[in-house]
């Protein structure tokens, strides 16, 4: 197990500087345009693919960094560039992780390359779990997958919503109910291959922020996929369902808590995205406060402004430390006895919302216009307290973990 460290090693610093260069030279200059266009920034994704930032290999390398700092460092730099564009670059990773976590070696080898495409023909993937009536309450999911044994096919019906890259993805990973009696343990994940009949994009959402990231409904109307598209395979599913039924008989709570542990490990990555956005806004505000003069002196000479900057920086550093700690715990298999993953996401996302608002205040009228980037960063930051579990859900998970009561 790697010791927890707050110091990046030389190799990590090199990767960080390389990512920062891409974020500063390619992502940030394109941010305002793609925010206004509210479209997927395909040319930027293609640039990322050309230099090796848009590939599973790159993220796998960061993920398996035993210090745990690889992923948070990468997320912070890319989202420092711009949250909407960065989500378009890393959003495919959500679906890829779904396949890596549950798929067989053959499924991983077949589908992940099709999720990314290549630098000449980039593709994206979507992970579709949320539904109109199943957001925080995942167990109330309704999309149904029924096995047609005669044809060895699964038939999926339902409507998914808020899917990042939904409908424009080459490969969709869809979570569906296979046994309604078992709540979230009766769910399974399916690959929907490119061009499958019955899958269509519903409404594309016009959003408050991260507008360069495509978010849409995905409608599944008698979608038929081969048996081989069930992630992990039928035998493993049957065994898992049998175990879940048995555990449910013994006392369902243990089943639910096991599911929560998975989220603990992935939440620090979202915290790191929030740190990136917060740091970007803080840097703009610091620069502005030292150059903008009113009453014959830079506005930072007023304690009211200076103290805000001190608080902003303190919160950002504290958020990063929580994120790094949780990432290190996840990679090294340390149990999240105080829901440290949720803590990091909660604190970092609330920090991003607050700091970007403070940045607008420090820039005054300019901060409120689209001439300066903090207005966009503030709109972008609002997503962090919503997706991958809202702040209320994080608090609920932390409180219940501390109290030792079941998470429902
Ligand atoms: C831009 C964007 C991208 C997304 N991308 C994806 C994606 O790629 N794939 C995917 O599957 N999903 C995605 N989501 C969905 C996202 O994960 C959900 O929006 C989120 O889980 C919250 O669910 P909800 O919107 O239904 O809110 P609800 O669950 O309806 O919550 C509404 C409010 O009630 C509060 N609340 C709910 N239950 C409790 C409780 N028990 N205690 C206290 N407060 C509670 C919430 O905190 C929130 O404030 C995305 C969402 C957005 C906006």
């Amino acid at each position: 197990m790697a010791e927890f460290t707050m110091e990046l090693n030389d190799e990590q610093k090199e990767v960080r500087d390389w990512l920062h260069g891409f974020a500063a030279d390619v992502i940030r200059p394109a941010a305002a345009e793609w925010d206004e266009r509210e479209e997927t920034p395909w040319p930027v994704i293609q640039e990322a693919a050309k230099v090796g930032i848009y590939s599973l290999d790159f993220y796998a390398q960061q993920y398996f960094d035993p210090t745990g700092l690889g992923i948070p460092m990468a997320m912070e730099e890319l989202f420092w560039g711009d949250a909407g564009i960065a989500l378009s670059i890393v959003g495919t990773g959500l679906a890829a992780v779904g396949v890596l976590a549950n798929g067989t070696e053959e499924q991983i080898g077949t589908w992940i390359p099709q999720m990314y495409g290549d630098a000449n023909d980039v593709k994206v993937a979507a992970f579709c779990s949320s539904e109109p009536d199943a957001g925080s309450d995942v167990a109330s999911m309704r999309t149904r997958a029924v096995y047609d044994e005669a044809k060895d096919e699964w038939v999926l019906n339902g409507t998914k919503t808020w899917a990042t890259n939904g409908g424009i993805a080459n490969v969709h990973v869809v979570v569906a109910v296979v046994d309604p009696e078992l709540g979230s343990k009766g769910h399974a994940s399916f690959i929907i291959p490119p061009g499958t009949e019955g899958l269509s994009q519903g409404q594309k959402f016009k959003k408050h922020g991260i507008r360069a990231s495509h978010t849409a409904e995905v409608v599944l109307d008698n979608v038929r996929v081969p048996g081989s598209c069930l992630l992990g395979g039928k035998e493993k599913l049957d065994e898992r369902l049998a175990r879940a039924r048995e555990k449910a008989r013994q006392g369902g709570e243990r089943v639910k808590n096991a599911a929560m542990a998975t989220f603990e490990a992935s939440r620090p990555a979202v915290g790191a995205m929030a740190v990136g956005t917060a740091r970007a806004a803080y840097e703009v505000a610091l620069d502005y406060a030292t150059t903008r003069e009113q009453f014959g002196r830079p506005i930072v000479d007023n304690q009211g402004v200076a103290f805000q900057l001190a608080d902003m920086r303190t919160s950002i550093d504290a958020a990063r430390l929580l994120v790094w700690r949780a990432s290190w715990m996840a990679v090294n298999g340390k149990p999240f006895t105080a829901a440290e993953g949720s803590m990091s996401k909660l604190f970092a996302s609330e920090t991003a919302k607050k700091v970007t608002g403070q940045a607008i205040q420090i820039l005054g009228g300019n901060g409120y216009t689209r001439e300066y980037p903090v207005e966009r960063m503030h709109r972008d930051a609002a997503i962090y307290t919503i997706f991958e579990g809202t702040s209320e859900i994080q608090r609920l998970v932390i409180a219940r973990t501390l109290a030792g009561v079941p998470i429902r």
Side-chain angles (χ1 to χ4, degrees):
M1 185 173 78
E3 287 296 312
F4 178 63
T5 173
M6 294 186 287
E7 195 75 59
L8 297 180
N9 61 36
D10 289 345
E11 203 181 315
Q12 288 166 330
K13 281 183 189 154
E14 211 174 288
V15 176
R16 180 200 59 192
D17 294 347
W18 169 60
L19 290 171
H20 187 76
F22 186 81
D25 300 340
V26 182
I27 298 181
R28 184 72 70 85
E33 179 192 340
W34 292 99
D35 174 57
E36 290 299 338
R37 286 174 68 161
E38 300 193 45
E39 285 170 11
T40 300
W42 291 105
V44 186
I45 302 176
Q46 189 161 26
E47 282 305 303
K50 276 185 194 155
V51 298
I53 293 172
Y54 187 69
S55 74
L56 180 71
D57 281 357
F58 172 69
Y59 295 101
Q61 236 172 34
Q62 300 314 313
Y63 182 79
F64 289 112
D65 171 356
T67 67
L69 305 187
I71 287 286
M73 177 263 291
M75 294 298 160
E76 180 176 334
E77 293 310 325
L78 294 174
F79 282 72
W80 173 91
D82 178 64
I85 294 178
L87 190 61
S88 280
I89 294 172
V90 306
T92 294
L94 265 182
V97 167
V99 176
L100 284 172
N102 302 306
T104 61
E105 266 181 40
E106 198 185 336
Q107 288 169 329
I108 292 169
T110 305
W111 299 112
I112 291 188
Q114 296 193 49
M115 291 182 169
Y116 286 92
D118 59 51
N120 295 319
D121 184 17
V122 283
K123 305 283 186 202
V124 292
F127 178 75
C128 312
S129 170
S130 302
E131 295 181 4
D133 293 323
S136 303
D137 182 11
V138 179
S140 60
M141 185 179 289
R142 286 201 206 137
T143 295
R144 199 68 168 92
V146 176
Y147 188 53
D148 178 346
E149 200 162 357
K151 293 186 172 166
D152 183 27
E153 284 179 349
W154 286 90
V155 187
L156 286 89
N157 278 290
T159 299
K160 294 294 177 182
T161 196
W162 302 306
T164 300
N165 299 334
I168 62 166
N170 200 35
V171 177
H172 290 76
V173 174
V174 171
V175 186
V177 178
V178 290
D179 183 338
E181 300 293 308
L182 290 174
S184 58
K185 279 286 156 182
H187 297 172
S189 299
F190 297 86
I191 291 282
I192 314 294
T196 300
E197 228 173 273
L199 183 147
S200 61
Q201 182 184 304
Q203 181 188 2
K204 177 189 168 183
F205 294 104
K206 285 184 82 69
K207 302 195 299 296
H208 177 61
I210 55 162
R211 300 195 303 177
S213 167
H214 171 101
T215 315
E217 286 178 334
V218 172
V219 180
L220 301 138
D221 180 13
N222 277 323
V223 168
R224 283 188 165 266
V225 293
S228 59
C229 285
L230 165 67
L231 286 177
K234 183 81 167 55
E235 202 177 311
K236 211 168 144 199
L237 173 70
D238 289 341
E239 282 170 19
R240 181 164 64 75
L241 293 178
R243 270 199 313 273
R245 285 181 197 116
E246 186 51 37
K247 277 187 183 168
R249 264 193 295 277
Q250 291 169 3
E253 310 308 358
R254 274 192 301 138
V255 174
K256 284 167 187 156
N257 287 348
M260 294 314 295
T262 317
F263 294 118
E264 284 302 305
S266 62
R267 281 177 176 154
V270 182
M273 298 172 187
V275 171
T277 300
R279 191 184 108 211
Y282 156 78
E283 287 175 6
V284 174
L286 178 64
D287 181 55
Y288 192 88
T290 52
T291 49
R292 168 76 172 169
E293 292 195 0
Q294 286 294 276
F295 302 100
R297 59 184 186 165
I299 57 169
V300 75
D301 282 359
N302 301 290
Q303 225 174 45
V305 174
F307 280 14
Q308 279 197 75
L309 286 161
D311 286 348
M312 289 158 80
R313 177 60 192 264
T314 304
S315 304
I316 293 166
D317 281 15
R320 186 184 297 106
L321 286 177
L322 285 175
V323 164
W324 283 15
R325 175 181 73 167
S327 285
W328 168 75
M329 291 174 74
V331 171
N332 289 286
K334 301 273 280 183
F336 290 101
T337 52
E340 290 87 344
S342 294
M343 266 189 210
S344 72
K345 198 251 176 194
L346 170 65
F347 190 78
S349 55
E350 292 293 340
T351 292
K353 233 166 112 167
K354 186 165 180 201
V355 162
T356 52
Q358 287 171 306
I360 290 181
Q361 193 64 23
I362 290 173
L363 267 71
N366 279 329
Y368 200 65
T369 70
R370 294 197 180 175
E371 298 300 308
Y372 284 78
V374 292
E375 177 270 346
R376 184 182 67 248
M377 291 166 183
H378 188 48
R379 284 188 285 109
D380 291 345
I383 191 58
Y384 301 124
T385 63
I386 296 173
F387 68 6
E388 289 278 313
T390 65
S391 283
E392 291 74 24
I393 295 300
Q394 310 302 325
R395 289 189 179 97
L396 191 139
V397 170
I398 297 163
R400 290 187 178 218
T401 304
L402 296 177
V405 294
I407 297 160
R408 292 186 260 270

